[in-house]
Amino acid sequence: MILLFSAGLFGIYFLNQSHSRQTTAPSDEKYYFADSKYSGIRSKFVTRDNKREKVSIEYPITENEKINRLISESIDKIDRDFQNTVLLATVFDKPMTETISYQVTHNTSEALSIVVNIKQDMNGAHPASMTQFWTFDKKSGEVVGLADFTEQSDEAAEAIISAAKNSVSQTIKQRQQPEIDLNEIINKEALSNFIITNNGNALAWPLGQASLLPSSYGELTITVPISSVSKYLQNPTARKLANIPKPAEKPKPTPATPTPIVANKTIALTFDDGPGPYTEKLLDILDKYDAKATFFLIGSKVSARANTLRRMQSRGHQLGNHSWSHPELNKVSAEQLASEIDQTNNAIKQAVGTKPNIIRPPYGAFNRAVLEQFRQRGMSAVVWSVDTRDWADRNSEIVCSRAVAGARNGAVILMHDIHPTSVNAVPCILNSLKQQGYSFVTVQNLIGDMTPGAVYP
Ligand code: NI
């Protein structure tokens, strides 16, 4: 999807060499600001690119200074350690790389959940992947720990901890990894920082490698659907920050929380806004790596490239709806909404014989009425968990490093096959992530059964 450019974005102001920090700033450090897709949040990008290091850091700039300070201090500490390693290194076959980016998983007037992904590759050593994550009270700027969220209820904390243990042991079983005593590992302290995900309906802990479990267990996201612990969370803080169903309500079914369905680490690459002139080349690349992907298609472009759609289908890729003319679906009339969906479904059906059961609303924009229309057609909404922002940076290396930095088991990566730079980034993404043990599946295979009208991942 092409995001709306607001004035700030291409008014990127490059300010060279004037960035102040405590350590001596390398002379090639640059920074600039850009809008993010998250409401009320901008990004500050810092880059350093020289023979010794190749660094790209994206800091979130929210409306609350206190939040900004906590996150930037945490990022700077990690970056200083990296810089020290670079300073001490003597041999430079190739630059050491560091990519730090962030994702917002929950953003309401009251609450903000942010994950910072850190990937470092120090020549030859394993690429280190780490995460830092927090939920903030947006008004006060304070971090909300599990004890705050449960308002100090031991019973609530125990319920969440036990659900988290179940989630981990299930994942370990599915991955066929050795059993491990989780009682020592998963406790109040370990789970204190958490994020809210899934439209306020789940708590999650996106753990980097070796952050709780031994390194050999790899990365792991613990997810606890709120519906499974909601009776313990009937307190004002939790209600303010997340969606806590009232006790009388039947707990909502929670299919929206994907559990890994295969033993390996899997990722769904998704390509929006096509089909276009570079889509065939992309299909060649995917074939070569035996990777499956998901294409969210613009209905009006389909009939001119029906053969390309047939090829997608025959190679096991998944086809999805991305509207007819790419409007914000929450802002169009009921008639246009229906026709954006139906015309595109019909065009795809005409090309390949079946209608899609997934739709990605342009700009990720939807509301209840939009979801209701999806539901009535048996369709689920699919958004993304990693945004490569390939429409903003038409640079294959940047696109590749963002995809690789954000990758984790179960991730849905957003790209656009209408940009040649994005298509050219795909071999790099597939190579890097294959080496890390990932395989590439369709959204359907990543998520499994989806409920019509629900939003994934
Ligand atoms: Ni789009």
Side-chain angles (χ1 to χ4, degrees):
M1 102 182 31
I2 300 173
L3 293 178
L4 294 166
F5 300 139
S6 79
L9 180 60
F10 283 144
I12 278 169
Y13 13 116
F14 255 95
L15 299 169
N16 198 5
Q17 305 186 12
S18 58
H19 178 229
S20 67
R21 31 165 82 227
Q22 294 91 338
T23 53
T24 43
S27 62
D28 64 323
E29 183 165 296
K30 292 177 182 171
Y31 76 104
Y32 61 94
F33 293 91
D35 286 349
S36 81
K37 68 182 163 105
Y38 307 112
S39 155
I41 302 175
R42 308 179 72 218
S43 288
K44 174 178 165 185
F45 289 86
V46 171
T47 63
R48 301 191 301 269
D49 190 350
N50 56 50
K51 261 192 264 172
R52 302 170 68 92
E53 55 171 353
K54 208 175 177 107
V55 171
S56 156
I57 304 176
E58 181 180 10
Y59 298 85
I61 311 288
T62 73
E63 286 154 359
N64 186 307
E65 266 309 311
K66 201 164 171 183
I67 295 177
N68 300 345
R69 204 172 323 122
L70 184 138
I71 296 177
S72 68
E73 279 170 6
S74 158
I75 290 178
D76 287 344
K77 183 172 180 304
I78 292 163
D79 185 41
R80 271 198 299 278
D81 290 343
F82 175 82
Q83 289 188 45
N84 287 336
T85 310
V86 171
L87 278 176
L88 293 172
T90 49
V91 183
F92 284 90
D93 297 339
K94 53 176 182 156
M96 295 188 179
T97 60
E98 177 182 57
T99 310
I100 301 181
S101 59
Y102 72 90
Q103 272 146 28
V104 174
T105 63
H106 192 58
N107 188 10
T108 65
S109 56
E110 303 285 353
L112 179 68
S113 292
I114 287 197
V115 185
V116 171
N117 297 300
I118 303 112
K119 293 265 159 118
Q120 295 173 335
D121 191 353
M122 322 229 194
N123 280 346
H126 271 289
S129 76
M130 294 174 267
T131 56
Q132 309 249 305
F133 51 90
W134 309 267
T135 291
F136 295 95
D137 180 316
K138 226 174 179 174
K139 302 252 162 78
S140 68
E142 298 286 346
V143 174
V144 181
L146 196 60
D148 308 311
F149 192 70
T150 56
E151 294 199 349
Q152 319 294 333
S153 154
D154 284 336
E155 201 189 13
E158 282 312 318
I160 292 168
I161 290 165
S162 130
K165 282 181 195 164
N166 281 340
S167 157
V168 175
S169 58
Q170 266 184 31
T171 306
I172 288 177
K173 208 174 279 172
Q174 277 159 349
R175 294 183 183 174
Q176 303 179 334
Q177 291 168 328
E179 277 182 44
I180 184 169
D181 181 6
L182 297 173
N183 294 318
E184 293 290 309
I185 300 172
I186 297 182
N187 51 38
K188 273 188 205 172
E189 291 72 41
L191 299 187
S192 179
N193 275 15
F194 66 93
I195 53 169
I196 300 170
T197 63
N198 192 20
N199 288 323
N201 293 313
L203 307 179
W205 292 263
L207 305 173
Q209 191 167 18
S211 71
L212 271 190
L213 297 173
S215 174
S216 60
Y217 285 77
E219 296 168 3
L220 170 68
T221 295
I222 306 176
T223 305
V224 172
I226 284 177
S227 61
S228 71
V229 289
S230 60
K231 78 168 172 176
Y232 303 100
L233 291 174
Q234 301 297 326
N235 74 62
T237 307
R239 281 217 201 91
K240 185 173 83 169
L241 300 174
N243 281 343
I244 313 291
K246 299 231 172 63
E249 276 180 26
K250 265 192 176 175
K252 283 185 197 145
T254 53
T257 308
T259 43
I261 50 166
V262 287
N264 291 323
K265 296 194 285 186
T266 51
I267 272 189
L269 294 178
T270 65
F271 297 92
D272 289 11
D273 296 357
Y278 313 105
T279 307
E280 286 285 338
K281 180 179 178 188
L282 173 59
L283 291 172
D284 292 341
I285 296 168
L286 293 170
D287 271 358
K288 192 175 146 198
Y289 288 85
D290 193 26
K292 304 301 174 209
T294 302
F295 292 86
F296 290 98
L297 305 157
I298 300 288
S300 59
K301 297 181 179 177
V302 161
S303 69
R305 296 184 198 272
N307 280 333
T308 304
L309 266 71
R310 285 190 276 276
R311 184 170 168 211
M312 287 171 186
Q313 171 131 314
S314 73
R315 298 304 157 90
H317 304 301
Q318 190 176 3
L319 281 59
N321 184 321
H322 193 45
S323 82
W324 183 262
S325 66
H326 210 271
E328 290 173 87
L329 295 180
N330 55 338
K331 296 193 178 159
V332 301
S333 67
E335 294 74 37
Q336 193 191 340
L337 173 59
S339 104
E340 290 282 341
I341 306 171
D342 292 334
Q343 270 193 286
T344 302
N345 280 352
N346 292 338
I348 293 173
K349 183 172 182 188
Q350 191 149 25
V352 299
T354 48
K355 284 184 186 175
N357 66 343
I358 52 172
I359 177 163
R360 173 170 283 164
Y363 315 104
F366 56 82
N367 56 22
R368 249 172 233 282
V370 171
L371 294 181
E372 174 57 19
Q373 291 302 309
F374 297 169
R375 192 192 63 77
Q376 287 177 13
R377 290 162 176 80
M379 304 181 80
S380 309
V382 174
V383 290
W384 56 88
S385 52
V386 178
D387 186 355
T388 58
R389 273 198 282 277
D390 57 337
W391 49 268
D393 292 290
R394 307 288 173 87
N395 174 316
S396 300
E397 277 182 33
I398 293 179
V399 172
C400 176
S401 71
R402 286 222 185 100
V404 172
R408 62 164 51 87
N409 190 31
V412 176
I413 299 184
L414 167 64
M415 300 180 68
H416 298 82
D417 54 324
I418 51 169
H419 306 307
T421 42
S422 303
V423 171
N424 290 335
V426 173
C428 165
I429 295 170
L430 295 174
N431 269 323
S432 310
L433 294 180
K434 264 201 166 174
Q435 275 173 19
Q436 295 181 26
Y438 285 99
S439 58
F440 305 91
V441 300
T442 60
V443 165
Q444 185 74 58
N445 285 339
L446 187 86
I447 295 174
D449 284 342
M450 287 182 261
T451 305
V455 184
Y456 301 87

